[in-house]
Amino acid sequence: MPADPTPELVPQAASWLRRRSWSAADRPVRTLLEAKRAAGRAGSVSVVLPALDEEATVGDIVRTVRRELMERLPLVDELVVVDSGSADGTAAVAAAAGARVVHRDEILPRLPAAPGKGEVLWRSLLVTRGEIVCFIDADLREFDPAFVSGIVGPLLTDPGIQLVKAMYDRPLEVTPSDSAAGDAAVVPSGGGRVTELVARPLLNLHWPELAGFVQPLGGEYAARRSLLERLPFPTGYGVELGLLVDALETAGLDALAQVDVGVRHHRHQDGQALGRMAATIYRTALERLDRTHRLKASADLVHPLLTQFTRDPETREFTAHTHPVTALERPPMHTVPEYAGRHLPR
Ligand SMILES: O=c1ccn([C@@H]2O[C@H](COP(=O)(O)OP(=O)(O)O)[C@@H](O)[C@H]2O)c(=O)[nH]1
Ligand SMILES: O=C(O)[C@@H](COP(=O)(O)O)O[C@H]1O[C@H](CO)[C@@H](O)[C@H](O)[C@H]1O
């Protein structure tokens, strides 16, 4: 009996992975500046940081974007921090570092703001002007400006691209401030827990075209305003999965891309917080499965495979590993003929 052939990504995702995965180094910033100039208004760039109680990290991110991508190399035209209802000094720290700070309640006041990250990302479209909008989480540590230039790059050089996600290693770094126990620990590639346990399985089973995304939930992504303004925004943590799925349905897989920007260090929430996040993401997926009639019985799953990624220690490239997702079940034992005549050991 020949062994099952090694399962593979669906051909569309495999082809996409080869053609739409890049590295930040593929597009040097100086090349991007030339493309930006040639693009005129279409090359205008707004960077948006959604921020809830991020006084500890928002300042360094703002200073780095201003220094490296506005003053030294004028790639970014505006830098906005949208305060999501912070109780700490986020707004003051961000303003002192050079960002324009807007509180969510100042935006579209006729529609009272709901809590959540997606709410402030949606509202940010009302208070920014760039034709390219770049979302960056405000809890990043050791922030590298390539996080911005890397994902904005394809939108400046490739007219057919409409949304670009960052991809990176995600060590799980539990620092004393993150951990109730107060101890620090690092698990290489242990981060992205909701990605690995919820989002990636959901996307692989129901939207196999998206199986090539290394970090589908990553908070760093850039897109054309002309796309974002046509998409619904889940107001909570479902925003990344919702936008990715809706971008696929709206713009098509070839309009999407991903760029390797290295390693992402960020604050990690505890397990119960991620459980609430996972429930929101699952519900966001269910609503889209229903809306697009992709919800099928498991036997009809388009492609019962799960593709995961590791970074090859030699090539430093992300490598796909695809596994079958079995749903084999046995019938109730009482229906098995031998069951009635079974001989129990004395
Ligand atoms: O209600 C919220 C929740 C989160 N955030 C911001 O969204 C980003 C990602 O949130 P978080 O770090 O909590 O998500 P995680 O990375 O832990 O999944 C951060 O800049 C948060 O400050 C926000 O603006 N409003
Ligand atoms: O990817 C994930 O599993 C979660 C949690 O990451 P960690 O396990 O804390 O590294 O983080 C992401 O998910 C959120 C929901 O989409 C995004 O809003 C965050 O930006 C992103 O960090």
Side-chain angles (χ1 to χ4, degrees), residues 117 137 170 172 191-195 217-219 237 240 264 266-269 274 277 281:
K117 177 189 183 182
D137 279 3
R170 297 185 65 173
L172 180 61
R193 290 161 291 173
V194 177
T195 297
L217 295 191
Y237 282 121
E240 275 78 29
R264 184 190 199 222
H266 74 114
R267 183 206 52 241
H268 301 282
Q269 301 184 66
L274 296 191
M277 177 189 290
I281 289 168

